Amino acid sequence: MPTVMKKGLLKAPASTKIEDKWVIVGLNGKSMLEAMKESDYGTLEEFSESTVGKLTAQNISNKQKKFLDRLTLNGIKYEYKYSYSTIDNAVAVKVSSDKISQIQEMSSVDTVVVSSTYLYPETVNSTGYSNDNAVQNDTFVYETGIYD
């Protein structure tokens, strides 16, 4: 499960190992869906095609760009992955884990979600011995000729 940090509620987990982490940074301000719900438009598609919807999308994009610029100004190196605007106003970036608390404290940031990471399964080499198989025949009835 990802670690969600909301301003003032949780602190970034202390980590002994500094490594790059993918995070989704939720920014202050409404998403397209939230703005549409406060409008007179019936669908998100109608809202998105309207003048108000286009201005809202541009405003979200500007806020996201401003946040990314602020990362650069604060000396936080990042790798950009994606921007979210439909159901959330957020960006996905890869940053050093020791910078997450600094990002969380930025005035434009609402939440920081640290993605979960998993180890890939390792390949196990078999020695060829029959007991190394996933299914083991403990009865040894094959040699009796029962299946011949």
Side-chain angles (χ1 to χ4, degrees):
M1 177 173 225
T3 304
V4 179
M5 294 174 281
K6 195 152 179 82
K7 193 171 288 209
L9 296 179
L10 294 174
K11 292 293 179 197
S15 175
T16 57
K17 184 178 179 185
I18 296 174
E19 58 188 354
D20 288 344
K21 295 275 189 179
W22 282 107
V23 294
I24 297 176
V25 181
L27 303 174
N28 297 325
K30 295 181 175 97
S31 67
M32 291 291 287
L33 185 62
E34 292 167 326
M36 185 274 303
K37 287 180 180 179
E38 294 178 356
S39 73
D40 293 330
Y41 293 94
T43 67
L44 186 59
E45 181 179 10
E46 290 172 357
F47 178 73
S48 297
E49 292 172 356
S50 72
T51 303
V52 174
K54 290 176 183 176
L55 288 172
T56 301
Q58 186 61 48
N59 184 34
I60 291 170
S61 178
N62 289 343
K63 285 183 179 183
Q64 292 173 352
K65 184 179 181 332
K66 189 174 180 180
F67 167 74
L68 295 173
D69 290 344
R70 192 169 295 127
L71 288 180
T72 302
L73 287 172
N74 286 320
I76 299 174
K77 294 180 182 177
Y78 67 91
E79 179 184 336
Y80 171 82
K81 184 171 187 174
Y82 195 77
S83 290
Y84 302 90
S85 61
T86 306
I87 60 172
D88 197 5
N89 177 8
V91 293
V93 291
K94 185 188 278 187
V95 295
S96 178
S97 58
D98 65 335
K99 300 295 183 184
I100 294 173
S101 292
Q102 187 178 351
I103 292 170
Q104 182 186 7
E105 295 303 318
M106 291 180 168
S107 61
S108 61
V109 173
D110 183 40
T111 58
V112 178
V113 179
V114 181
S115 69
S116 298
T117 55
Y118 304 94
L119 294 176
Y120 290 102
E122 293 182 23
T123 303
V124 177
N125 293 326
S126 174
T127 61
Y129 185 68
S130 64
N131 286 339
D132 286 346
N133 294 327
V135 178
Q136 183 174 332
N137 178 9
D138 288 330
T139 58
F140 298 107
V141 294
Y142 297 112
E143 295 175 3
T144 65
I146 193 169
Y147 294 109
D148 291 338

